Amino acid sequence: MPRSIRGDVVVIGGGPAGMAAALSSWEAGAKSVFLLERNEYLGGILPQCIHPGFGLQIWGEELTGPEYAEIFIENLNRTGVEAMTDTAALELTPERIVKAVNPQGAWEIKANSIILSMGCRERTRGMLQIPGYRPAGIFTAGLAQYLVNIAGYLPGKDIVILGSGDIGLIMARRLTLEGARVKMVVEIKNSLSGLVRNYVQCIQDFNIPLLFSHTVTEVRGKERVEAVVISEVDEEGNPLSGGEREVECDTLLLSVGLIPENELSRQAKIPLSPQTGGPWVDEDFSTDLEGFFACGNVASVFDLVDYVTLVAERAGRAAVLARPPQEKHILRAGEGVHTVIPQRIREGKDGFLFIRPQKSMKGVTVSFWEREKIFYQKKISICRPSEMIKLDLAQIPWPQEKGEIKVEIKGTEIQGIS
Amino acid sequence: MNEEFDVIIIGGGVVGCAIAWYLAHFDLQILLLEKELDVCSGVSKANTGIIHSRSYWTPHTLKGELHLRSLSWIEQAEKELDIEFLKTGALTMAFSRDDLEFLQTLKERGKIEGAQILAPREAHTLEPMISDKIFAAYYDPETRVASPFELNIALAESAFLNGVHFILGQEVVGFEEEKSIVGVLTENGKYLSRWVVNCAGLSSSYLAQKSGDNIPSLRPLRGEYLVLDRECRGLVHHVLYPVPVGETKGILVSPTTDGNILVGPNLEPAEDEDTSTTKEGLKEVEEGGKKLIPSLPVSQTIATFSGLRPTLPDRDFHIFFSSRFPSLLHLVGIESPGLTASFGIAEYVGDLLHKRGLKLRERSDFVIRSSFPVFRKLPWEERERLIQEDDNWGKIVCRCEEVTVAEVKHALLSSPGASTLDGLKRRVRVMMGRCQGGFCGMRLPFLMAETLGLEERRIVKSGRNSFYLGEETKEVRSGASLY
C-alpha cells in the first residue's frame, strides 16, 4: 500500500516559487511543510540560468540563477521543511490529497493547504505546427540551456533562434560565447518578446541579426536539421508569399512562449483562467478552491523571478492563515491588457497587482473601471509585453461594494526595440 | 554470418514482423534484416492505427481478401502478444441523402451484429460533438484502434523470443543466385537463405526490380496528421470516418490507445520518401477534421507528422514470386489497410512458401510474450510494490506520459531493443506527450548512453546521422567539472 502521511502545508514544485512559499509557510508557523520536487535538486530552472540579473528587485543585488537558488536552499536547510526531491506528484484531488512517487515508494499525502508551484513548460514546434521534416536539432531554448549549462553539450554549431523571448536571447549570447554561430533570431511580431536589457546585452553586443515580422515556415533535413525557411509575415502573422529564404543551420531553437503547467490543477478541478492558463487567484494567491494556493509561473508567467518570490511568500503565509472564503472583486483584462494577476481582490489592503500589456506603448494610462466609471488611473511613460506593470494594491482606492472591475491600458503603440 | 537460414525477411515494419512472428510458430531458422536502426521505422511508424472492421474491406482485391483473413487472427494475436486493441467501434458520417447508399453498402458488406444506420439524433447520443449537418451515420461496433508502434514492436519481440534473429541497420542492396538458395546482399556482406520474403515497404518495388522482376515503381502517397493533447480525451469515443470521396477512407478523427486524438490523413503525392508536412496539408487535415467535429480543438495540437502509403497504380497488394529467384517472394504495394491485414498477410505468405515446398512443422515450445508493465496504467499498490523491488520504478523521467527509468531501461535492454531516441519514444512514449521532449530530452540521451555503454555524442534520434548533441562545451573540453 502507498505510504500515507499528513502535512500542514504541501508545496508542489521546488522552483523559486515553491522554495519561497515553503519557507514562508514555515516562518508563518506551519507545523509541517512538505516540498515536492521532481528533479534531484531544488531550484527548478534557476540552476541552469547561470547568467546574472536575478535579485535586483528584492535584494538590490545582481545574482546568477544558481546563487539565487542557493540562498533559498540554505534557508530551507535551516528550517523543518521536508524537501522531497526526486519526487513526482502525479495525482491531486479536490480533497487535498497528493499522490506522488519517488525511489523510496508511492506516497499519499493529505494536506490542510496545498500550494501549487509547478511552474511552466515551453511551447513546442508541434504546437506551432511548423511544417517540414522532423529531424534532430530542434530544441526549446530552455532544453538547450540545460544541455549547455548543466550537461556540458552544445545543441549544435549553426543556430537559428525562433522567438525573441528571454531564454532565446540569453541562449543567443551563451551559444556565441561557446563558439557556436547564432545566425539570426527571428520574431514573428514587430516588437521584442523579451526584456530590452537582454536584447542589448545578448543580441546587440554580439552583432546577432534580429528580424522582426519573420517566422520559420519550414524545417529542412531528414536526419539532422540542414536548413530552415524563414518568411516575412503580415500583421496577423501570416507568411507573405515571395518573402521566403533558406537559412542553412543545424539547429533550431524555439523561444516562443511558456505555458503554465496545470495538469494537476485540472485534476483537482481548480477553476482556471483562459487568459493566464493558471488558476484564478486573489492577492493571497488563494485559488477559487478552498485550501489551494497557486504562485509563480503556474498561476501566470512572470517576467522576473523576484516577483515570483514576492507572490510566493504571500501564498506561503496565506496557506498557514487559511482565511475563510469571502466575497471578492473580480478583475477583468480590458483593452490593451494581456493578463492581470491576481484576478480576485479580497481587500486590496496589501500585496501587488501585476499587469502584462498586450503591446509596446508609450504615454501609457492604466485605468480601473467599475461599471461605467473610472475610479483610478495611473500614468506610466512606457510599457512592453515583456515587462509586467507592478502596482501596490494599497494605492488603489478599491470600491466598497464587491463587483467586477475592468483594467485597461491605453497609449501610443511603438514598434521594434525602441 | 556463414549460417544458412530457412527464411530471410527483408523489412521490420508491421508486415515483416508479423511474418516473422507467424513463421516463428514453426521449426525454422529465420533472419529479419532491417535497414533502419530499429523496427517500425518506415511506413508502419506513421499511420492511423486502425483495425478496420469487415464493413470496410474492399471486395475483389487481394488487400480485401487478406483484410478479412486477418480479422480472424485478432484474438489470438492479442493473447500471444499480450496487447489489447481498443474496441472503440466506428461511425461513418453521411452528409447528404446520396451518401446513404454508401452506408447501406457498408452495412451489407460487414453483416456485423449490432451494426446499424443511425438517424442524426441517435448518432449525437453516441458522439455529442459531431456535426449537426449529418444526414445519417453508420455505426459499426467492431472497429478497433491499435497503437501501430506497440503492435509492430510486440510482434518483433515475440518473434525474437521465439528464435528469430534480427539484424538492424543493414540495408539489402540486391540478390545473388547460390545454387538452390538465395544470397541476400547487404552493404556489409551476404546472407544465405532457402527462402526470402521482401516486405521492404517503400523499398519493396526497388528490391523487386533489383531481382529482375517487372513491377512498376511505387507511387508514395503522403498523409498528414495532427495529434491532439490527452486533455482532449473523451472528445470522441469512436473512430469517425467521413463518407469517402475518391481513393481513400478520407480524413478521420480517432481516439488513440493512449488517450490522444488523431486527425488525418489527407492524400497527396510525395516525392521519393518525403515525409515532411506542409502548411496546406495540415490545413486540409484541420478542415477535414472540423467537417466531422466542428469544435475540434486544434489549438491543443501537440505534434504533426506525415506518413507514406507505398501504392501501386491499381491500389492493390501485389504478392508474387520472383521470376528469376523462385524462392524469393515480393510483397509490393502494401498500403492501407496494411496494419489491419498484417496477420492475414503473414498467414498468406506462409501458405505460399509452404505450397512451394517450405516445410512448416509447428513448434511445441512457442513462448507467449508478456508485455512489460506500463507505470501510468498501474494501480498505486502495484506501483509501491514495484518500487520496493527496483527503485527505478520510483523515478519518473517523462512527466507528461509518466514514464519511469525502469521502463526506459527495459526498452533499451530488451530485444530487439531501442537504440535511438525515437525507438524509445515508440516503446515507452517518452517525448511523445505535450512537452514533446522539453523535459525528458534533458535526461534520456544520458540515461541511454549510460545504460547502453555508448558515448553520449553518439546518441541519435532515428537515422544514423541524426545526432542529438553537438560538441562539448569549452568548460568540459578543458577538463573542468561542471559541478
Side-chain angles (χ1 to χ4, degrees):
Chain A
M1 284 300 289
R3 311 94 218 277
S4 230
I5 47 179
R6 291 188 69 95
D8 211 359
V9 178
V10 171
V11 185
I12 306 176
M19 293 192 302
L23 203 54
S24 72
S25 280
W26 182 263
E27 284 164 358
K31 285 177 204 70
S32 57
V33 181
F34 292 96
L35 174 58
L36 274 49
E37 165 55 44
R38 66 182 172 202
N39 271 327
E40 294 113 349
Y41 47 83
L42 291 177
I45 216 74
L46 285 171
Q48 70 182 56
C49 298
I50 63 169
H51 54 281
F54 304 95
L56 270 172
Q57 302 286 325
I58 53 173
W59 294 311
E61 192 185 354
E62 232 189 354
L63 304 175
T64 64
E67 286 167 342
Y68 193 97
E70 201 51 41
I71 293 175
F72 286 89
I73 294 170
E74 279 174 13
N75 287 340
L76 280 166
N77 284 340
R78 285 196 279 269
T79 67
V81 171
E82 180 148 356
M84 297 170 74
T85 52
D86 232 340
T87 303
L90 300 176
E91 279 178 37
L92 185 62
T93 73
E95 294 76 33
R96 299 190 298 279
I97 295 170
V98 189
K99 288 189 178 180
V101 293
N102 63 17
Q104 283 74 54
W107 302 82
E108 196 179 283
I109 314 170
K110 172 93 175 88
N112 295 331
S113 294
I114 286 186
I115 302 177
L116 307 171
S117 49
M118 291 89 78
C120 56
R121 65 170 180 270
E122 298 179 278
R123 270 159 62 86
T124 65
R125 185 238 175 132
M127 302 183 68
L128 300 177
Q129 296 188 30
I130 304 172
Y133 279 102
R134 304 215 295 165
I138 306 172
F139 300 90
T140 52
L143 169 54
Q145 190 178 43
Y146 174 89
L147 293 177
V148 177
N149 294 344
I150 308 269
Y153 285 99
L154 295 178
K157 284 197 303 287
D158 295 291
I159 293 157
V160 169
I161 300 177
L162 174 60
S164 61
D166 286 312
I167 317 170
L169 302 180
I170 296 279
M171 283 312 289
R173 172 177 65 184
R174 183 77 184 103
L175 289 164
T176 306
L177 291 173
E178 278 296 340
R181 283 177 290 276
V182 178
K183 296 204 145 179
M184 60 177 68
V185 177
V186 291
E187 167 58 59
I188 193 166
K189 292 182 302 193
N190 62 14
S191 61
L192 196 67
S193 293
L195 301 172
V196 173
R197 72 163 193 229
N198 283 334
Y199 168 76
V200 174
Q201 295 168 8
C202 304
I203 301 297
Q204 215 173 34
D205 288 358
F206 291 87
N207 290 319
I208 297 167
L210 191 156
L211 272 68
F212 287 111
S213 301
H214 277 73
T215 193
V216 172
T217 50
E218 194 187 330
V219 175
R220 292 187 177 161
K222 280 192 180 181
E223 298 220 4
R224 175 83 199 191
V225 175
E226 287 166 18
V228 296
V229 176
I230 61 161
S231 305
E232 200 176 344
V233 298
D234 64 17
E235 277 176 21
E236 271 82 56
N238 299 311
L240 299 166
S241 60
E244 302 95 4
R245 72 178 157 115
E246 190 182 80
V247 181
E248 276 184 39
C249 59
D250 63 9
T251 304
L252 173 63
L253 289 199
L254 303 173
S255 178
V256 288
L258 302 169
I259 302 161
E261 287 245 271
N262 278 286
E263 283 65 38
L264 290 173
S265 322
R266 277 188 205 97
Q267 280 186 23
K269 302 192 169 56
I270 296 168
L272 301 182
S273 147
Q275 272 86 34
T276 57
W280 308 99
V281 287
D282 66 14
E283 70 259 44
D284 284 351
F285 288 81
S286 168
T287 71
D288 284 356
L289 188 63
E290 208 186 334
F292 284 91
F293 299 79
C295 56
N297 286 355
V298 78
S300 184
V301 176
F302 281 78
D303 52 346
L304 298 177
V305 72
D306 301 57
Y307 293 163
V308 167
T309 299
L310 286 180
V311 305
E313 284 171 349
R314 292 190 65 83
R317 280 194 297 273
V320 180
L321 289 174
R323 289 202 273 174
Q326 68 172 81
E327 217 188 335
K328 298 169 191 176
H329 290 297
I330 294 174
L331 264 55
R332 302 259 182 239
E335 196 186 318
V337 176
H338 184 259
T339 51
V340 50
I341 187 156
Q343 310 96 333
R344 308 273 190 264
I345 302 296
R346 189 183 274 268
E347 280 146 1
K349 283 191 195 139
D350 56 355
F352 313 98
L353 187 65
F354 298 93
I355 306 167
R356 199 182 274 279
Q358 272 171 348
K359 289 177 174 157
S360 295
M361 287 181 279
K362 58 184 179 185
V364 183
T365 308
V366 186
S367 307
F368 287 74
W369 293 75
E370 186 198 21
R371 298 201 194 91
E372 303 304 308
K373 75 170 204 291
I374 294 174
F375 67 88
Y376 178 68
Q377 276 194 324
K378 170 112 184 161
K379 302 254 187 236
I380 297 168
S381 58
I382 197 158
C383 74
R384 297 186 186 86
S386 56
E387 292 168 30
M388 289 170 129
I389 300 166
K390 175 173 161 252
L391 302 177
D392 272 334
L393 287 182
Q395 278 177 9
I396 303 165
W398 299 100
Q400 278 297 312
E401 198 184 324
K402 296 284 159 64
E404 206 172 298
I405 287 162
K406 191 175 71 181
V407 186
E408 197 180 76
I409 301 179
K410 283 189 172 160
T412 316
E413 202 181 326
I414 45 181
Q415 297 193 349
I417 318 294
S418 40
Chain B
M1 225 178 258
N2 288 324
E3 207 176 339
E4 187 183 312
F5 291 94
D6 294 312
V7 185
I8 285 181
I9 298 163
I10 306 168
V14 70
V15 172
C17 290
I19 295 169
W21 166 76
Y22 175 78
L23 292 179
H25 287 76
F26 306 99
D27 197 7
L28 297 167
Q29 281 296 312
I30 305 166
L31 169 66
L32 188 146
L33 294 170
E34 165 58 49
K35 80 174 156 89
E36 301 298 334
L37 299 174
D38 197 359
V39 296
C40 194
S41 290
V43 175
S44 300
K45 75 166 190 275
N47 56 69
T48 324
I50 290 172
I51 307 288
H52 300 284
S53 83
R54 223 160 49 225
S55 280
Y56 302 89
W57 78 291
T58 319
H60 318 300
T61 60
L62 179 59
K63 67 157 81 160
E65 190 190 311
L66 299 182
H67 177 166
L68 289 188
R69 201 164 166 172
S70 209
L71 293 178
S72 60
W73 276 89
I74 298 285
E75 275 92 33
Q76 187 180 339
E78 286 185 319
K79 210 160 66 201
E80 276 190 18
L81 300 172
D82 193 20
I83 60 174
E84 203 178 336
F85 301 121
L86 205 61
K87 200 167 172 183
T88 58
L91 282 182
T92 301
M93 293 162 56
F95 287 87
S96 72
R97 183 175 292 275
D98 297 345
D99 289 344
L100 207 53
E101 201 181 322
F102 181 78
L103 301 190
Q104 208 63 48
T105 311
L106 290 179
K107 187 164 177 245
E108 277 157 27
R109 205 172 272 172
K111 297 191 177 59
I112 294 168
E113 205 185 309
Q116 51 183 312
I117 293 174
L118 305 177
R121 208 170 51 183
E122 297 168 303
H124 275 107
T125 313
L126 280 183
E127 284 291 356
M129 303 308 282
I130 57 175
S131 168
D132 351 316
K133 297 206 179 98
I134 63 161
F135 184 79
Y138 168 67
Y139 167 68
D140 144 49
E142 291 282 327
T143 298
R144 293 168 169 88
V145 174
S147 154
F149 318 126
E150 184 189 31
L151 173 58
N152 198 153
I153 288 160
L155 286 164
E157 286 179 0
S158 173
F160 182 87
L161 203 59
N162 287 289
V164 174
H165 301 264
F166 283 79
I167 298 181
L168 306 172
Q170 190 86 266
E171 183 167 3
V172 172
V173 294
F175 306 94
E176 214 173 67
E177 242 173 299
E178 293 270 346
K179 294 172 200 127
S180 62
I181 58 172
V182 186
V184 178
L185 304 174
T186 70
E187 306 148 297
N188 307 335
K190 184 159 75 174
Y191 299 91
L192 303 177
S193 182
R194 181 71 191 84
W195 302 90
V196 178
V197 181
N198 160 25
C199 43
L202 288 162
S203 308
S204 58
S205 66
Y206 165 78
L207 285 181
Q209 288 161 2
K210 276 275 177 193
S211 70
D213 292 291
N214 189 18
I215 182 89
S217 293
L218 288 167
R219 177 180 60 140
L221 290 175
R222 185 168 56 195
E224 299 183 37
Y225 292 88
L226 302 175
V227 186
L228 307 187
D229 195 308
R230 261 220 312 262
E231 294 278 326
C232 306
R233 180 195 283 260
L235 178 78
V236 293
H237 303 91
H238 304 79
V239 173
L240 303 181
Y241 297 94
V243 167
V245 243
E247 299 179 340
T248 63
K249 297 186 181 68
I251 293 167
L252 322 183
V253 177
S254 169
T256 72
T257 50
D258 292 290
N260 301 87
I261 303 281
L262 191 62
V263 190
N266 65 341
L267 179 78
E268 59 202 353
E271 297 262 316
D272 204 9
E273 295 195 10
D274 182 349
T275 54
S276 58
T277 53
T278 63
K279 189 172 177 237
E280 299 72 30
L282 294 173
K283 192 80 206 153
E284 188 187 348
V285 170
E286 178 179 335
E287 280 161 13
K290 282 187 169 165
K291 192 175 169 215
L292 306 181
I293 304 275
S295 62
L296 193 75
V298 281
S299 62
Q300 295 267 37
T301 301
I302 60 165
T304 61
F305 66 90
S306 79
L308 295 170
R309 308 170 180 88
T311 66
L312 285 170
D314 67 359
R315 301 298 305 267
D316 203 0
F317 297 174
H318 286 251
I319 300 180
F320 58 97
F321 281 101
S322 163
S323 51
R324 245 186 75 204
F325 301 88
S327 61
L328 166 60
L329 185 67
H330 294 301
L331 282 70
V332 186
I334 314 297
E335 50 153 326
S336 175
L339 183 91
T340 305
S342 53
F343 309 116
I345 295 171
E347 188 188 28
Y348 180 67
V349 164
D351 288 356
L352 291 178
L353 297 181
H354 177 63
K355 275 186 204 145
R356 280 223 172 174
L358 173 70
K359 289 200 179 64
L360 297 179
R361 264 192 312 272
E362 202 152 340
R363 291 167 46 169
S364 55
D365 56 348
F366 187 86
V367 185
I368 304 290
R369 171 186 182 265
S370 49
S371 53
F372 199 65
V374 177
F375 177 87
R376 182 163 63 83
K377 298 180 178 171
L378 296 176
W380 282 88
E381 289 73 20
E382 186 61 10
R383 290 175 176 181
E384 166 70 17
R385 196 187 66 76
L386 286 171
I387 297 168
Q388 296 318 316
E389 236 169 57
D390 173 2
D391 66 4
N392 283 325
W393 282 105
K395 298 178 189 165
I396 302 280
V397 65
C398 161
R399 168 70 180 78
C400 305
E401 297 294 319
E402 296 178 5
V403 185
T404 62
V405 170
E407 290 161 277
V408 170
K409 288 203 163 185
H410 178 264
L412 292 168
L413 298 173
S414 61
S415 296
S419 60
T420 65
L421 292 168
D422 278 356
L424 262 188
K425 172 168 91 175
R426 289 175 199 131
R427 281 171 180 78
V428 294
R429 293 191 57 76
V430 287
M431 299 184 290
M432 213 182 251
R434 55 181 66 96
C435 88
Q436 290 282 297
F439 288 116
C440 57
M442 300 176 180
R443 295 294 151 79
L444 292 169
F446 306 105
L447 183 55
M448 192 164 173
E450 187 197 314
T451 309
L452 296 177
L454 295 172
E455 265 179 66
E456 292 170 347
R457 281 201 65 195
R458 308 307 298 171
I459 299 299
V460 293
K461 179 174 183 284
S462 53
R464 272 167 236 224
N465 298 308
S466 62
F467 297 107
Y468 183 80
L469 297 168
E471 278 181 25
E472 290 175 335
T473 54
K474 286 177 183 169
E475 286 98 321
V476 174
R477 270 177 285 163
S478 67
S481 166
L482 284 168
Y483 303 102

